[in-house]
Amino acid sequence: MSFRKVVRQSKFRHVFGQPVKNDQCYEDIRVSRVTWDSTFCAVNPKFLAVIVEASGGGAFLVLPLSKTGRIDKAYPTVCGHTGPVLDIDWCPHNDEVIASGSEDCTVMVWQIPENGLTSPLTEPVVVLEGHTKRVGIIAWHPTARNVLLSAGCDNVVLIWNVGTAEELYRLDSLHPDLIYNVSWNRNGSLFCSACKDKSVRIIDPRRGTLMAEREKAHEGARPMRAIFLADGKLFTTGFSRMSERQLALWDPGSPLLQKASSSSQPPGPPLCFCTVTSRAP
């Protein structure tokens, strides 16, 4: 006679987390309250950067990973923007270089001292001007040195050569609405984007062409996100019409994403799809 197990077995059943001590946390950081959908922080093997509240412009903190505990309100910041900072990203090829995008329509690249800041940093290494509206997305190229992507509220994606402060590519006709996020693939040959028109796109920046597109990846009106995974698949997060959280995994190598060159056959379902039924706040 077999008995059915009532409790599902899990190797994590008796695993419990323990919060770290206060002296190992970062405290008293006045994180920016600007109305923009961003992480407001970035980290690399040496530093933690956090966008903070600032009067008369935009600023962000750069803290060595070893400097934990309560942060002095007078701690020096990176404060060269004339408008609030919306996004920051560390260079993957140099742990002391960081880029920032701001409401002042500019992108700035900064050189952080090896041991961190001892005084406010107001002079960027490079100022990139090409957007006509605020710049909310910054993403360094994963393999090519000195190549930076920026996307603004003007629905334009720019690829920059930071070394010469020149535009390499301008993509101004592929997104009809606000761009929510951008993510490079592993080798930097393509990037994907999530847009307010509910479409997820895969774009070849060198050709300036749309390689694949999925319309209404998530039908909800709230912002969605899309990233490239290491194996080349796309992972998206969004909402249903009933504001239920949704997660989806897409395979660009199959007809699950509609190819931009042929739209006669509608796209199929995602490779894997998960709906979280709890309502978002």
Side-chain angles (χ1 to χ4, degrees), residues 3 14 21 24 53 59 73 93 103 106 141 153 159 167 191 196 216 242 268:
F3 292 92
H14 300 292
K21 298 179 180 178
Q24 295 176 319
E53 284 289 315
K73 293 183 179 180
H93 309 288
E103 282 193 1
T106 65
H141 195 281
C153 293
I159 313 293
E167 287 184 19
F191 69 83
K196 192 175 181 180
K216 294 185 179 180
M242 303 300 293

Side-chain angles (χ1 to χ4, degrees), residues 118-255:
T118 57
S119 61
L121 183 60
T122 59
E123 294 296 329
V125 178
V126 179
V127 179
L128 306 174
E129 298 178 329
H131 290 282
T132 59
K133 294 185 179 180
R134 58 183 181 172
V135 182
I137 298 171
I138 299 291
W140 288 94
H141 195 281
T143 58
R145 197 177 183 90
N146 289 335
V147 176
L148 178 68
L149 178 150
S150 66
C153 293
D154 50 7
N155 308 337
V156 175
V157 176
L158 296 177
I159 313 293
W160 301 92
N161 181 342
V162 174
T164 60
E166 295 178 312
E167 287 184 19
L168 294 177
Y169 306 102
R170 173 179 285 265
L171 310 175
D172 54 6
S173 60
L174 299 178
H175 297 92
D177 212 328
L178 180 67
I179 303 169
Y180 285 142
N181 89 294
V182 169
S183 173
W184 291 100
N185 67 352
R186 196 65 177 268
N187 60 17
S189 60
L190 304 169
F191 69 83
C192 67
S193 64
C195 185
K196 192 175 181 180
D197 66 354
K198 303 180 184 179
S199 291
V200 173
R201 296 173 173 85
I202 298 177
I203 296 169
D204 184 338
R206 290 171 295 182
R207 298 179 181 177
T209 56
L210 188 63
M211 305 301 293
E213 180 179 9
R214 171 70 188 199
E215 297 178 355
K216 294 185 179 180
H218 299 278
E219 295 189 353
R222 293 192 176 198
M224 62 180 181
R225 296 267 175 166
I227 62 169
F228 263 113
L229 302 181
D231 60 1
K233 294 183 177 63
L234 287 181
F235 182 75
T236 63
T237 64
F239 296 86
S240 69
R241 290 182 179 178
M242 303 300 293
S243 292
E244 297 168 338
R245 299 183 186 275
Q246 292 182 331
L247 313 173
L249 182 66
W250 311 86
D251 185 0
S254 70

Side-chain angles (χ1 to χ4, degrees), residues 20-27 68-70:
V20 297
K21 298 179 180 178
N22 289 341
D23 59 355
Q24 295 176 319
C25 301
Y26 298 93
E27 291 188 309
T68 55
R70 190 175 299 275

Side-chain angles (χ1 to χ4, degrees), residues 260-273:
S261 58
S262 61
S263 58
S264 58
Q265 186 177 2
L271 178 67
C272 175
F273 195 80

Side-chain angles (χ1 to χ4, degrees), residues 3-161:
F3 292 92
R4 195 167 150 190
K5 293 182 180 179
V6 178
V7 179
R8 180 174 62 88
Q9 295 297 323
S10 171
K11 62 182 179 180
F12 302 109
R13 184 179 173 189
H14 300 292
V15 175
F16 300 94
Q18 183 176 357
V20 297
K21 298 179 180 178
N22 289 341
D23 59 355
Q24 295 176 319
C25 301
Y26 298 93
E27 291 188 309
D28 261 11
I29 297 178
R30 296 170 298 165
V31 180
S32 174
R33 288 180 286 181
V34 67
T35 55
W36 183 254
D37 189 13
S38 174
T39 57
F40 293 140
C41 66
V43 67
N44 69 6
K46 292 184 65 175
F47 298 107
L48 167 70
V50 183
I51 302 174
V52 295
E53 284 289 315
S55 58
F60 59 93
L61 282 172
V62 175
L63 303 169
L65 295 184
S66 59
K67 183 177 177 55
T68 55
R70 190 175 299 275
I71 306 301
D72 190 348
K73 293 183 179 180
Y75 193 87
T77 60
V78 181
C79 50
H81 285 285
T82 58
V85 178
L86 301 180
D87 195 21
I88 50 178
D89 192 31
W90 289 103
C91 177
H93 309 288
N94 188 334
D95 289 340
E96 295 162 9
V97 173
I98 187 171
S100 59
S102 168
E103 282 193 1
D104 62 11
C105 306
T106 65
V107 177
M108 294 185 180
V109 180
W110 310 85
Q111 179 76 40
I112 305 300
E114 183 177 356
N115 297 320
L117 297 176
T118 57
S119 61
L121 183 60
T122 59
E123 294 296 329
V125 178
V126 179
V127 179
L128 306 174
E129 298 178 329
H131 290 282
T132 59
K133 294 185 179 180
R134 58 183 181 172
V135 182
I137 298 171
I138 299 291
W140 288 94
H141 195 281
T143 58
R145 197 177 183 90
N146 289 335
V147 176
L148 178 68
L149 178 150
S150 66
C153 293
D154 50 7
N155 308 337
V156 175
V157 176
L158 296 177
I159 313 293
W160 301 92
N161 181 342

